[in-house]
Amino acid sequence: MAERAAGVIFFFLLISSAASAVNRRTKFEYLKLPLLHKDTFPPTPSQSLSSDIRRLNTLYSSLSQRSTTRSAKLPLTSGATTGSGQYFVDLRLGTPPQRLLLVADTGSDLVWVSCSACRNCSSRPPNSAFLARHSSTYFPYHCYDKKCRLVPNPTGVACNHTRLHSPCRYEYSYSDGSETKGFFSTETTTLNASFGRPVNFRNLAFGCSFEASGPSITGPSFNGAQGVMGLGRGSISLSSQLGRRFGNKFSYCLMDYTLSPTPTSYLLIGRSAAVNDPKKMNYTPMISNPFISTFYYIGIESVYIEDVKLPIRPSVWAIDELGNGGTVMDSGTTLTFLAEPAYRRIVQAFKRLVTLPKADQPTAGFDLCVNVSGESRPSFPKMSFKLSGNSVLSPPSGNYFIDTAENVKCLALQPLTVPSGFSVIGNLMQQGFMFEFDRDRSRIGFSRHGCGKP
């Protein structure tokens, strides 16, 4: 498919409404969310690159603000073709449940949804916002509740400790000037458990947003979503809140969305049979950055092209004393961005080894593009990453040489030129692997086995 690079995969958490609360012991092991696929046409690879760069600027802004055996399974939908660099999630929130489309993001913590305080909401389009007055279980935290300290509060707004109705106000800003404002609240969400029945989860902490502005959360990359589902390492993310009930781990498998029919992908919260055999998994430590708790860092030790180690200094991959550098696994970035010295070495090696002719019209923003006309199955050099913990990530060439135009394939890597930034392993590089994020053991597992068979 000519526009493969453009897409990013979106999560749709398809969660049924339901019946039992988790305030007692239950026998289910995990929550399962299938990944679905939207049939809209993808943007160009250059547009995808532009969206990735905007996203990375947002992630880097989080870094710049630094200071000194149970489970659940959810279906996921690839919205790669919708023009966004994010994942979408179909969430059921409230009592009775209201269906909302969220952006699922491993690069942020806060779960927030667009809210409306309308009483007679007949004029509103269906599922365009969470109708707080229509839920019997919605409750905003009071501003003096200790939970209120978990979110950024607006400046100049004093908390009236004596008033009964003084909600906890939050104000969440992004590097491009986008922001969401509202009440930090608690609600009930409904998810499908592995035994097949839906389960209610009470007291999900989330932002009820009454004001959202800016391109990051209202523009094309948001694609009509009603909010964001944070899956980061912070305490208020969905993976943290539900993970405590499911062994503090989650996993996902991103299948190739260009295949027809599209294979099902999954996000799982908890432990499933797909990752139950440690012998089939490779593990690398989950590295901590003392300056920020949100991101999932891994350690790259070296890069190999055709089993030849490239001369890249270890310091290129390291997190420095100010928290800069390192490498992050990110579900919401399409392409892979590498520190400029490493990127330069990798491109040089590929240019030397790739025997296909250069494309007459290279795709804008990509440094290595080749003409594959007449090649039914073009062959490319093998690339692998040696990671901390003596594990090796060896993606298939289709994860890093992608279709950008008819009969043109380009290297889907980009240089990281921001001195205070970090390298990012994007979702194209992750396709076809089962990735497990084990918070208790501080490790990330990956395997080509069991993907799509949770």
Side-chain angles (χ1 to χ4, degrees):
M1 179 179 268
E3 257 85 18
R4 170 174 177 169
V8 281
I9 303 182
F10 304 76
F11 276 120
F12 279 97
L13 283 132
L14 198 55
I15 310 167
S16 313
S17 82
S20 57
V22 183
N23 56 359
R24 64 184 188 278
R25 287 189 173 271
T26 54
K27 295 182 179 180
F28 58 85
E29 295 182 346
Y30 59 88
L31 300 175
K32 178 181 179 182
L33 296 80
L35 281 165
L36 312 174
H37 180 73
K38 297 185 73 175
D39 295 326
T40 21
F41 197 73
T44 67
S46 296
Q47 289 172 327
S48 180
L49 173 58
S50 178
S51 297
D52 278 353
I53 291 173
R54 287 196 301 271
R55 173 174 173 78
L56 291 186
N57 286 335
T58 300
L59 297 184
Y60 297 155
S61 73
S62 301
L63 193 57
S64 68
Q65 296 167 4
R66 57 191 174 236
S67 61
T68 48
T69 309
R70 297 156 66 165
S71 77
K73 177 178 178 181
L74 313 161
L76 303 172
T77 299
S78 169
T81 53
T82 59
S84 160
Q86 319 253 349
Y87 293 89
F88 282 161
V89 179
D90 192 7
L91 176 71
R92 292 188 183 271
L93 189 67
T95 307
Q98 300 178 37
R99 184 176 180 177
L100 299 164
L101 187 67
L102 307 185
V103 172
D105 184 14
T106 58
S108 65
D109 295 323
L110 179 66
V111 178
W112 67 267
V113 303
S114 296
C115 284
S116 173
C118 64
R119 293 183 183 273
N120 181 2
C121 307
S122 58
S123 60
R124 292 197 65 94
N127 306 320
S128 60
F130 177 65
L131 310 180
R133 294 181 185 272
H134 290 219
S135 173
S136 62
T137 47
Y138 171 76
F139 187 78
Y141 288 111
H142 196 281
C143 58
Y144 63 72
D145 193 300
K146 63 180 181 180
K147 292 276 190 180
C148 196
R149 296 194 292 268
L150 298 175
V151 291
N153 308 123
T155 57
V157 179
C159 175
N160 189 331
H161 290 243
T162 59
R163 289 185 58 190
L164 178 62
H165 301 292
S166 291
C168 172
R169 298 178 183 271
Y170 78 90
E171 185 173 295
Y172 203 84
S173 300
Y174 299 87
S175 63
D176 63 354
S178 300
E179 62 180 5
T180 169
K181 301 178 183 179
F183 299 156
F184 194 48
S185 310
T186 179
E187 239 316 353
T188 295
T189 186
T190 307
L191 305 174
N192 277 344
S194 54
F195 58 69
R197 295 199 304 271
V199 181
N200 287 348
F201 291 90
R202 299 172 179 171
N203 302 320
L204 176 73
F206 76 107
C208 192
S209 174
F210 291 100
E211 182 179 345
S213 60
S216 291
I217 55 177
T218 60
S221 66
F222 215 55
N223 201 47
Q226 287 85 50
V228 172
M229 177 174 286
L231 293 169
R233 298 175 71 178
S235 61
I236 59 174
S237 74
L238 181 83
S239 54
S240 293
Q241 293 188 63
L242 296 187
R244 288 187 284 270
R245 310 177 192 189
F246 292 98
N248 261 334
K249 64 177 62 178
F250 72 95
S251 57
Y252 59 68
C253 168
L254 306 180
M255 303 298 288
D256 187 346
Y257 62 86
T258 67
L259 298 178
S260 182
T262 303
T264 302
S265 301
Y266 290 93
L267 168 69
L268 301 101
I269 299 175
R271 183 166 187 165
S272 76
V275 291
N276 202 34
D277 187 357
K279 295 179 181 178
K280 294 183 179 180
M281 298 290 288
N282 295 281
Y283 290 99
T284 187
M286 193 183 294
I287 296 174
S288 295
N289 185 332
F291 292 95
I292 189 165
S293 62
T294 298
F295 304 131
Y296 294 98
Y297 283 89
I298 61 172
I300 296 179
E301 295 182 351
S302 52
V303 179
Y304 292 78
I305 306 292
E306 288 294 300
D307 297 323
V308 176
K309 182 179 178 180
L310 301 185
I312 301 171
R313 299 189 314 276
S315 60
V316 168
W317 307 111
I319 300 175
D320 66 20
E321 66 278 2
L322 298 177
N324 302 315
T327 304
V328 167
M329 299 285 298
D330 184 42
S331 64
T333 303
T334 309
L335 306 176
T336 289
F337 288 72
L338 300 176
E340 199 274 336
Y343 171 82
R344 187 173 60 249
R345 293 287 189 184
I346 293 171
V347 172
Q348 288 174 350
F350 275 122
K351 286 183 175 179
R352 187 173 64 253
L353 294 172
V354 172
T355 58
L356 294 166
K358 292 183 179 179
D360 294 333
Q361 294 182 331
T363 303
F366 295 84
D367 289 333
L368 176 58
C369 296
V370 294
N371 186 334
V372 295
S373 59
E375 299 283 341
S376 58
R377 299 185 65 180
S379 177
F380 294 96
K382 182 180 71 173
M383 177 173 64
S384 57
F385 298 89
K386 174 71 179 303
L387 306 180
S388 302
N390 201 33
S391 62
V392 178
L393 177 64
S394 299
S397 62
N399 287 19
Y400 52 87
F401 269 98
I402 57 176
D403 297 321
T404 60
E406 186 175 1
N407 294 324
V408 175
K409 285 184 178 287
C410 295
L411 181 64
L413 304 178
Q414 291 292 318
L416 172 65
T417 56
V418 181
S420 60
F422 43 74
S423 298
V424 174
I425 304 297
N427 57 49
L428 279 178
M429 195 69 76
Q430 299 177 41
Q431 278 189 169
F433 287 89
M434 174 68 74
F435 281 94
E436 180 193 58
F437 297 77
D438 187 339
R439 307 273 293 277
D440 280 347
R441 297 186 179 184
S442 294
R443 65 183 186 177
I444 296 176
F446 56 93
S447 174
R448 297 279 285 173
H449 298 280
C451 197
K453 298 178 181 180

